[in-house]
Amino acid sequence: MRDQRNWILYAGLLVLFWGVWGAFSSQPTERYGYPNEMIYVIWAFTMLLPAAVALRRERFDRRPIAAVYGLAAGLTGAGGQLLLFQALSNGPAYLIFPVVSLSPVITVLMAVALLRERIGKLAVTGVVAALIAIVLISIPAGDHGSADTGSWLLLSILICVAWGAQAFFMRKAALASVNDATTFGWMTISGLLLVPVAVLMMGGLPDAPWQAPALTAGTQVLNAVGALFLVMALSRGKASVVAPITNALAPVLTIVLSLVIYQTLPTIWGTIGIVLALGGSTLMVYADEKREETPQPRLPSAPLAGP
């Protein structure tokens, strides 16, 4: 039986790995013009490393239910990533990312409606604060003018739904007693299955100096390990809490690291988002700790039998 309170530990590790990854993830493209599709390809192969480590500790679950939920989680995640590249080629990133960032809303709605998860008023306040923070942090600086609504909006909505459903399927796998290593193993297989699609999208392998794939591999390992921690956090905590808290705090760490490394100040919206993310996450963790510490009512003991 998993310790349900361990989700805080794994969520924290996820925030650490994804926060650091976010601060350096753009470097291959900025330094060497490395295509996003090639970054996806390398990311898919870096998933093999944490998958191998995880599968050394847990047996691969061969049940059909494990394959269904594992592939569902993997294909919605990897498929959403490929759709993101297509959306960015057709529309403005400053509008696409705020739409995509609403994916935890999908997770929360699915968890409450389909998994019957219940969260207290204090945790609800934290979830709302975290969701608002995610959107605010996604708002970039500067006046970008207007943008015509096109296919990118539909793609952004599809990505939002796909990534929100991914967290839901991870949680469903855990409720079906599928171990973390198996779920992550199927996610790795799903990512590799879409590698040929990514190669076709960019029209073949690009010419680039060796530093580009090396730097990409170094940063994407952080992404891959973070994905494993997401599986582990969702197998122990409520999807309606884990998804908002991790999606809110990872960008906060990225912003802080960017401030230190690149001397980049957050926007006013980003600053407000940071405050809301920290406050909302604190409320959710406090509510979870309070729920765990609440003593459960004891059942009356049966009377002793008489002589």
Side-chain angles (χ1 to χ4, degrees):
M1 183 71 178
R2 296 182 179 96
D3 184 351
Q4 300 300 309
R5 297 176 68 179
N6 277 347
W7 75 265
I8 300 175
L9 169 63
Y10 293 117
L13 290 171
L14 162 62
V15 169
L16 174 62
F17 275 76
W18 274 4
V20 176
W21 161 69
F24 297 99
S25 60
S26 64
Q27 291 301 301
T29 300
E30 291 182 0
R31 289 172 179 259
Y32 307 105
Y34 216 39
N36 285 322
E37 293 85 356
M38 194 61 205
I39 292 175
Y40 171 89
V41 172
I42 293 177
W43 163 78
F45 282 99
T46 59
M47 292 276 284
L48 290 168
L49 295 177
V53 173
L55 286 169
R56 290 187 63 181
R57 300 177 57 185
E58 295 181 308
R59 180 182 58 85
F60 189 79
D61 191 337
R62 299 182 183 276
R63 293 180 298 159
I65 193 67
V68 169
Y69 287 134
L71 285 171
L75 291 174
T76 49
Q81 186 66 58
L82 289 179
L83 287 178
L84 179 61
F85 297 149
Q86 184 64 37
L88 290 172
S89 67
N90 297 330
Y94 68 92
L95 292 179
I96 291 172
F97 281 109
V99 175
V100 172
S101 69
L102 290 172
S103 61
V105 174
I106 305 299
T107 304
V108 171
L109 292 176
M110 294 181 72
V112 172
L114 301 178
L115 300 181
R116 303 300 184 196
E117 289 188 357
R118 294 185 178 182
I119 52 180
K121 294 181 179 179
L122 195 62
V124 169
T125 303
V127 168
V128 173
L131 293 176
I132 296 174
I134 294 169
V135 177
L136 292 178
I137 290 173
S138 300
I139 298 176
D143 181 12
H144 300 273
S146 60
D148 293 332
T149 302
S151 61
W152 64 265
L153 179 59
L154 176 59
L155 290 174
S156 300
I157 294 173
L158 290 175
I159 298 164
C160 175
V161 173
W163 285 353
Q166 180 191 34
F168 169 80
F169 288 130
M170 289 180 189
R171 182 60 179 162
K172 281 288 288 184
L175 293 176
S177 300
V178 180
N179 62 57
D180 301 333
T182 299
T183 299
F184 191 79
W186 281 115
M187 289 171 58
T188 302
I189 293 172
S190 302
L192 292 172
L193 287 175
L194 294 180
V195 164
V197 178
V199 174
L200 288 175
M201 288 175 62
M202 64 180 165
L205 298 178
D207 292 327
W210 66 268
Q211 292 92 337
L215 182 58
T216 301
T219 55
Q220 292 305 317
V221 163
L222 298 174
N223 185 8
V225 175
L228 175 59
F229 286 136
L230 177 61
V231 174
M232 299 174 77
L234 284 167
S235 71
R236 292 160 175 80
K238 292 181 177 180
S240 54
V241 171
V242 174
I245 197 173
T246 52
N247 279 270
L249 288 184
V252 169
L253 179 57
T254 296
I255 291 173
V256 172
L257 290 175
S258 297
L259 174 61
V260 174
I261 299 171
Y262 307 117
Q263 304 295 309
T264 302
L265 291 174
T267 65
I268 183 63
W269 299 115
T271 303
I272 297 173
I274 290 174
V275 174
L276 286 174
L278 295 175
S281 301
T282 301
L283 284 177
M284 283 184 277
V285 172
Y286 174 76
D288 185 79
E289 292 286 336
K290 187 176 181 180
R291 178 178 60 84
E292 293 288 344
E293 293 172 0
T294 301
Q296 300 297 320
R298 297 180 60 184
L299 297 176
S301 57
L304 296 176

